[in-house]
Amino acid sequence: MFGRVDFSKNMDEYLIKAFDKYTSIIDEWLDKILPEENEFPQTIHRAMRYSVFAGGKRLRPIFAIEAFNWVGGSGEKIFIPACAVELIHTYSLIHDDLPAMDDDDYRRKKLTCHKVFGEAIAILAGDSLSALAFEILAKTTDSKIIGEVARAIGTQGLVGGQVADIEMEGKPVDENDVKFIHEKKTAALFVASIKLGAMIGNGSSSEISSLTEYARNFGLAFQITDDILDIKGDQKKLGKDIGSDFELDKATYPRAIGLERSNEIAKRLIENAKKALPINKDNKLFLSLADFVLERTF
Ligand code: GRG
């Protein structure tokens, strides 16, 4: 029923199983949360579901759920907030793909939302995913955590990073410029997702700061490998057009410092991410996800 990523390529058995387990739980909750397609006005509900179920990896809700478990949380109270971060992530992808932004035709191996439903509905689908995310967070989560999520996607986070990204197109950029963009545009939502899980699970301040450090390094490395895949990736595996960063003369790590050094920095960040986790805990999934960033083809 749901579009799913095929996790079976070049990945270890443990990670394939973990992704399968988590994505099916997350998809079931997302299905319960999202309005039905036949609910009036149908077009917007179809567009929201089209993009949410287009086959994402669900990394951000996985971060939230795993952080919740890692700090000793139990029960089901993490699932709805975890879905909220995936709704926000999907909203950011829909808007990022719009003609006024990156102007991409494919995402998650499918036509982008605006290509199927038109620009107006795609903008509104993003808006309504955001509204729904905060509606369900408000019903389930304390205001401090909601504030963290809101801050992460505003001008100090995703929006700020996206603005800098747009304004630096075609301009000379150095490592600091791209680091700023990538930390805001990409790492901020990974950080907010992991903190949300740890805070809902009543994690200690030292647990929250370890996870925050892990997610910050992970998120930055993730965007660097995204930049690298835009140059060296396989369009079919990636599920979206490649070469678009180059076409738009985007501020990327490879453009600022070259491919070889970008690879080195991604590796160093992943080492830092792993080192941020205390050794007396079960870090297996977080460590495997960190390795996945360097090996990923999608
Ligand atoms: C306020 C939420 C919000 C958005 C407005 C458009 C925008 C500002 C920001 C763009 C942020 C963006 C799309 C950053 C790129 C992050 C990234 C690497 C996305 C791909 O993540 P994956 O690979 O995607 O986890 P899947 O498809 O697997 O979910």
Side-chain angles (χ1 to χ4, degrees):
M1 166 187 180
F2 308 123
R4 289 253 171 87
V5 175
D6 177 6
F7 290 113
S8 62
K9 293 182 194 96
N10 301 325
M11 278 168 53
D12 72 67
E13 202 58 31
Y14 165 77
L15 200 52
I16 295 171
K17 282 202 179 128
F19 267 125
D20 279 343
K21 183 183 98 187
Y22 275 125
T23 50
S24 51
I25 297 171
I26 293 161
D27 285 358
E28 274 171 31
W29 280 93
L30 283 167
D31 187 39
K32 282 189 228 166
I33 288 165
L34 281 157
E36 296 287 347
E37 284 197 353
N38 59 10
E39 195 175 312
F40 184 81
Q42 289 91 341
T43 322
I44 189 69
H45 299 136
R46 278 181 39 228
M48 290 161 80
R49 281 180 167 266
Y50 173 84
S51 289
V52 170
F53 293 118
K57 295 182 282 301
R58 311 298 194 213
L59 286 169
R60 294 146 191 88
I62 290 175
F63 263 37
I65 298 166
E66 189 60 15
F68 175 79
N69 294 333
W70 193 86
V71 301
S74 64
E76 294 201 326
K77 64 179 170 190
I78 189 56
F79 294 117
I80 290 177
C83 287
V85 294
E86 183 66 12
L87 298 180
I88 290 169
H89 167 59
T90 305
Y91 145 46
S92 77
L93 299 180
I94 295 173
H95 281 201
D96 191 51
D97 291 334
L98 287 168
M101 304 251 183
D102 282 2
D103 194 12
D104 279 312
D105 292 352
Y106 288 92
R107 164 79 65 183
R108 296 171 165 177
K109 295 192 175 153
K110 295 178 87 169
L111 283 169
T112 44
C113 194
H114 67 273
K115 281 278 155 192
V116 178
F117 296 94
E119 268 183 71
I121 294 295
I123 292 168
L124 294 166
D127 295 342
S128 48
L129 288 172
S130 171
L132 180 58
F134 283 101
E135 182 189 339
I136 61 176
L137 280 175
K139 282 185 193 151
T140 54
T141 315
D142 95 34
S143 60
K144 188 162 172 248
I145 302 173
I146 303 174
E148 286 277 345
V149 176
R151 235 183 336 277
I153 69 171
T155 57
Q156 299 306 309
L158 266 75
V159 168
Q162 183 77 349
V163 170
D165 186 50
I166 292 166
E167 292 185 339
M168 284 184 197
E169 271 174 25
K171 300 209 176 107
V173 281
D174 63 21
E175 192 178 336
N176 282 335
D177 299 325
V178 279
K179 185 165 183 271
F180 175 90
I181 294 173
H182 288 20
E183 275 181 350
K184 307 282 174 193
K185 185 179 88 166
T186 304
L189 193 54
F190 281 113
V191 170
S193 305
I194 220 162
K195 275 177 104 170
L196 167 139
M199 287 163 87
I200 293 174
N202 282 324
S204 67
S205 56
S206 116
E207 286 173 325
I208 294 171
S209 65
S210 298
L211 290 174
T212 300
E213 189 57 11
Y214 166 85
R216 214 175 50 77
N217 282 285
F218 178 104
L220 186 50
F222 190 82
Q223 184 60 54
I224 296 175
T225 56
D226 219 68
D227 293 351
I228 296 170
L229 286 169
D230 190 69
I231 299 170
K232 289 180 43 179
D234 174 337
Q235 196 152 330
K236 271 206 190 123
K237 287 185 188 152
L238 209 52
K240 60 179 185 177
D241 298 331
I242 61 163
S244 52
D245 290 345
F246 182 78
E247 247 170 62
L248 293 169
D249 209 5
K250 282 275 187 194
T252 65
Y253 265 75
R255 181 152 83 81
I257 58 169
L259 258 178
E260 199 179 323
R261 219 167 122 56
S262 302
N263 270 312
E264 282 166 18
I265 292 182
K267 277 188 197 146
R268 200 192 65 217
L269 289 163
I270 289 303
E271 281 312 308
N272 293 345
K274 290 176 173 179
K275 276 191 223 144
L277 301 170
I279 47 168
N280 60 340
K281 300 273 274 185
D282 177 2
N283 300 321
K284 191 160 185 207
L285 184 56
F286 285 133
L287 295 177
S288 297
L289 288 170
D291 288 332
F292 166 73
V293 172
L294 298 177
E295 291 152 15
R296 74 192 184 102
T297 54
F298 59 94

